[in-house]
């Protein structure tokens, strides 16, 4: 396995291979920044996809769009149910081909931990956690600025009013485990792989602690 990974790493570094992440409906794709000559690729594309016009297809990724939008039959004058499934599968195959030919690229969501952009004055009582030993232990496990810590505690206390304590603690614990990856160097798919988490678990944390997490979309540069 180590030898296989070494070969893959070598191919990626020398641009002899690319990484294509699993195709999900929420994935965002855009036209490639370094377009290739389309003459030969257009011929191949039209042969594979029943005379499809490659420049027209590429134009649909500028501005960027999600896979769900690209495969939405109702947005492309397809309404018959028998044709809808075929249309969606065809479009998914198109995306895979365009990614392979590096004509489009995926925009990944990178994450930054930042103080909330707000003029709201945080109540000093929010920072009073001396009596909560478990919360103290959790927060002491990571380095957080005073502003971020105050907001995190506020979110945690709000969760306690709406959810069981164990649920709130588990969500806070997962957020704190994600903190090392919130420096703009890791995107959601990378975090999923490194932490062996499902997308839904990460998205729940991002939604809950959105006040201190700034998402930014860009391509992944190897």
């Amino acid at each position: 396995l180590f030898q296989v990974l070494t070969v893959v790493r070598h191919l990626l570094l020398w641009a002899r291979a690319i990484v294509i992440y699993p195709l999900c409906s929420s994935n965002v794709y855009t036209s490639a920044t370094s377009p290739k000559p389309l003459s030969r690729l257009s011929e191949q594309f039209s042969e594979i996809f029943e005379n499809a016009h490659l420049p027209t297809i590429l134009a649909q990724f500028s501005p960027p769009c999600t896979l769900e939008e690209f495969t939405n039959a109702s947005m492309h004058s397809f309404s018959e149910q028998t044709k809808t499934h075929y249309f969606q599968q065809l479009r998914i195959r198109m995306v895979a081909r365009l990614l392979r030919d590096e004509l489009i690229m995926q925009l990944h969501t990178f994450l930054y931990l930042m103080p909330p952009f707000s003029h709201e004055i945080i109540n000093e009582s929010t920072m009073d956690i001396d009596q909560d030993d478990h919360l103290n232990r959790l927060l002491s496990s990571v380095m957080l600025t005073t502003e971020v810590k105050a907001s995190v505690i506020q979110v945690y206390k709000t969760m306690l009013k709406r959810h069981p304590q164990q649920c709130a603690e588990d969500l806070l614990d997962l957020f704190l485990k994600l903190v090392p990856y919130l420096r703009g160097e890791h995107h959601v798919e990378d975090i999923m792989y490194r932490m062996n988490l499902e997308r839904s678990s990460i998205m729940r944390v991002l939604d809950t602690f959105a006040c201190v997490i700034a998402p930014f979309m860009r391509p992944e540069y190897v």
Side-chain angles (χ1 to χ4, degrees):
L1 178 60
F2 175 76
Q3 292 178 333
V4 172
L5 293 176
T6 302
V7 171
V8 170
R9 182 174 181 270
H10 177 80
L11 292 173
L12 290 173
L13 288 175
W14 287 94
R16 293 294 184 268
I18 60 172
V19 176
I20 297 179
Y21 290 90
L23 302 184
C24 302
S25 60
S26 59
N27 286 3
V28 179
Y29 300 100
T30 187
S31 301
T33 54
S34 301
K36 298 182 177 180
L38 294 183
S39 55
R40 179 178 57 84
L41 293 174
S42 291
E43 293 178 3
Q44 294 178 353
F45 196 82
S46 62
E47 290 176 2
I48 297 172
F49 299 108
E50 303 176 2
N51 298 319
H53 190 228
L54 180 57
T56 302
I57 296 297
L58 290 176
Q60 297 178 37
F61 294 97
S62 182
C65 71
T66 64
L67 180 63
E68 182 177 16
E69 292 169 342
F70 183 70
T71 59
N72 190 338
S74 63
M75 297 178 63
H76 303 278
S77 302
F78 272 77
S79 56
E80 296 181 31
Q81 187 172 2
T82 55
K83 293 183 178 180
T84 298
H85 178 71
Y86 170 77
F87 176 84
Q88 291 175 338
Q89 294 302 311
L90 179 66
R91 289 247 155 175
I92 290 174
R93 287 170 47 217
M94 283 183 178
V95 169
R97 180 73 189 194
L98 293 172
L99 287 169
R100 198 191 81 168
D101 290 339
E102 299 182 82
L103 294 173
I104 63 172
M105 55 187 177
Q106 182 177 351
L107 297 181
H108 296 274
T109 301
F110 290 78
L111 306 166
Y112 296 82
L113 186 66
M114 300 180 65
F117 182 75
S118 173
H119 297 294
E120 179 182 359
I121 299 176
I122 297 179
N123 192 335
E124 292 184 0
S125 62
T126 302
M127 297 292 292
D128 184 14
I129 58 172
D130 293 336
Q131 296 180 355
D132 194 329
D133 293 335
H134 182 66
L135 182 57
N136 267 318
R137 286 196 300 271
L138 286 176
L139 293 176
S140 63
S141 63
V142 295
M143 293 292 294
L144 298 175
T145 64
T146 302
E147 296 89 348
V148 170
K149 181 180 291 188
S151 296
V152 169
I153 294 172
Q154 202 167 36
V155 170
Y156 173 72
K157 290 188 174 182
T158 301
M159 283 195 295
L160 288 177
K161 298 176 182 178
R162 302 175 181 174
H163 306 287
Q165 181 175 352
Q166 187 61 50
C167 178
E169 289 180 355
D170 290 345
L171 201 55
L172 175 62
D173 183 51
L174 183 54
F175 165 76
L176 296 175
K177 289 179 179 177
L178 287 176
V179 166
Y181 300 100
L182 305 181
R183 300 172 182 170
E185 300 173 356
H186 303 274
H187 53 74
V188 172
E189 289 81 7
D190 185 30
I191 297 173
M192 289 168 57
Y193 170 76
R194 291 174 182 269
M195 296 194 65
N196 193 26
L197 291 172
E198 294 183 357
R199 182 184 296 269
S200 58
S201 299
I202 295 179
M203 297 310 297
R204 187 182 180 193
V205 172
L206 301 185
D207 290 340
T208 303
F209 295 92
C211 61
V212 293
I213 298 177
F216 177 74
M217 298 193 74
R218 67 168 176 83
E220 179 183 43
Y221 301 112
V222 178

